[in-house]
Amino acid sequence: MAPTNQIPLEICGYKILPISLPPLPSCPASATHYLYLRPHEPKLPTQTAERSLFLVNVPIDSTESHIKRLFSIQLGLPQGRIEGVEFAGSNGKSEREEDAVAYLSKGRQGKKRKRGLEAEAIENLEGTALPAIWDRELQKDGLTAVVIFVDRPSMNAAYKAVERTRRASEEPVWGEGLEGKVPALGSTRYLNHYKLQYPDKDQLLQSVNKYMTEFAAREAAQVRLQARQRQVPDEEGFITVTKGGRNGPARQDMAQDMALKQKEKRRGFEDFYRFQHREKRKAKAAELMRRFEEDKEKVKRMKERRDTFKPE
């Protein structure tokens, strides 16, 4: 392995940060791991992209505590400047991805049909998972991560701290000072896994009760939503056909009244667009031409009757 001072400071726009992996009982020799980082530039813009760093080749035992300690303690960044760390491939959609969707769809909410509270409650499945069976999540080899700072100056300071560490030919020790603060690996990890597969009876009962409560709430919300769809016509006066239509079907006169009300609401918007004005003028001109031709035929018939009239 090449000495640290022979490793370039930057490659393809990424700063290179060598870190030292401490020896383990299974591998008594230390090793050097290379972390690559640059300012975060996602394809989908987010509200936190400008104050985030993008990390590549994160060690497989990485946790948020490891990343925070690396920047806050070992690289000299003041503590409390990191808002959070997001690892690629984590379970579920991250909050930053949801922010990206919200950012792109801003201003377009009125173009889609808004769903009621019942429809949102049906999709609310959070907080009902069974107890975890692993005390710590391992990352994939070559994983990426996004470190989100509280502001852009903090991100710039961390980026410069990496460069200072490289110029000083220092290698931070990965996980130094976290002994006993994060779940252990090795055989201890699998012993804990075995124990977590058989959770306490009260804990399991609490999780199941929570899930059943949420399930009952979703079922009740779905019933209320379907009942309202059966009783309230839409903008065109049609009734949504749903399961269980015998329970309180909408009446025909109610649907007709709703259609008339919607028609009254749309009154005044017939000539809202330019092409509507154009079509209206064409229709008016065609009507005048039709009446003109009818008047010509009427005058022609009157002349013919006058020429054939012979008084006695």
Side-chain angles (χ1 to χ4, degrees), residues 257-270:
D257 293 342
M258 182 63 70
L260 291 176
K261 289 181 181 179
Q262 295 296 333
K263 188 175 181 180
E264 290 292 334
K265 289 182 179 180
R266 291 194 296 268
R267 181 171 295 178
F269 293 95
E270 294 85 357

Side-chain angles (χ1 to χ4, degrees), residues 24-39:
L24 299 173
S26 58
C27 183
S30 61
T32 300
H33 186 91
Y34 296 97
L35 196 63
Y36 305 89
L37 63 161
R38 64 170 174 79

Side-chain angles (χ1 to χ4, degrees), residues 113 226 229-234 238-242:
R113 192 183 209 170
Q226 291 180 351
Q229 288 177 343
R230 289 195 299 266
Q231 296 176 3
V232 180
D234 58 12
F238 293 98
I239 303 298
T240 303
V241 179
T242 59

Side-chain angles (χ1 to χ4, degrees), residues 192-232:
N192 292 335
H193 171 60
Y194 176 78
K195 295 177 181 178
L196 292 174
Q197 289 185 90
Y198 304 94
D200 182 70
K201 180 179 178 181
D202 295 336
Q203 182 183 5
L204 185 60
L205 182 61
Q206 181 181 1
S207 177
V208 172
N209 289 339
K210 187 176 182 180
Y211 178 84
M212 295 306 299
T213 301
E214 181 67 25
F215 179 79
R218 293 199 309 270
E219 288 291 312
Q222 187 175 14
V223 171
R224 291 195 299 270
L225 179 62
Q226 291 180 351
R228 190 171 70 247
Q229 288 177 343
R230 289 195 299 266
Q231 296 176 3
V232 180

Side-chain angles (χ1 to χ4, degrees), residues 37-42 46-55 71 81-86 96 145-156 158-159:
L37 63 161
R38 64 170 174 79
H40 190 35
E41 298 176 355
T46 64
Q47 299 177 356
T48 59
E50 62 178 7
R51 52 186 175 94
S52 303
L53 285 180
F54 182 67
L55 276 61
F71 284 96
R81 310 309 297 172
I82 297 179
E83 180 179 314
V85 180
E86 293 179 355
R96 309 305 160 187
V146 177
V147 183
I148 304 159
F149 296 86
V150 294
D151 50 27
R152 187 174 180 83
S154 299
M155 186 270 288
N156 293 332
Y159 201 56

Side-chain angles (χ1 to χ4, degrees), residues 102-173:
Y103 179 84
L104 292 177
S105 60
K106 186 182 297 183
R108 297 185 294 177
Q109 296 177 357
K111 295 183 180 180
K112 294 185 179 181
R113 192 183 209 170
K114 292 185 178 180
R115 299 179 299 176
L117 295 176
E118 292 86 352
E120 294 179 359
I122 292 174
E123 297 181 357
N124 184 18
L125 300 176
E126 298 180 357
T128 59
L130 292 173
I133 60 174
W134 292 99
D135 57 359
R136 176 177 171 181
E137 182 180 358
L138 292 182
Q139 313 301 336
K140 296 181 179 179
D141 186 23
L143 182 77
T144 62
V146 177
V147 183
I148 304 159
F149 296 86
V150 294
D151 50 27
R152 187 174 180 83
S154 299
M155 186 270 288
N156 293 332
Y159 201 56
K160 293 178 180 178
V162 172
E163 187 174 353
R164 287 197 305 268
T165 303
R166 284 301 318 278
R167 295 189 183 280
S169 300
E170 299 177 356
E171 288 189 11
V173 179

Side-chain angles (χ1 to χ4, degrees), residues 283-300:
K284 189 175 181 180
E287 178 65 18
L288 291 175
M289 288 296 298
R290 184 185 63 81
R291 293 173 59 180
F292 177 72
E293 293 296 333
E294 290 179 353
D295 291 342
K296 284 177 61 178
E297 291 294 328
K298 187 183 296 184
V299 171
K300 183 178 179 180

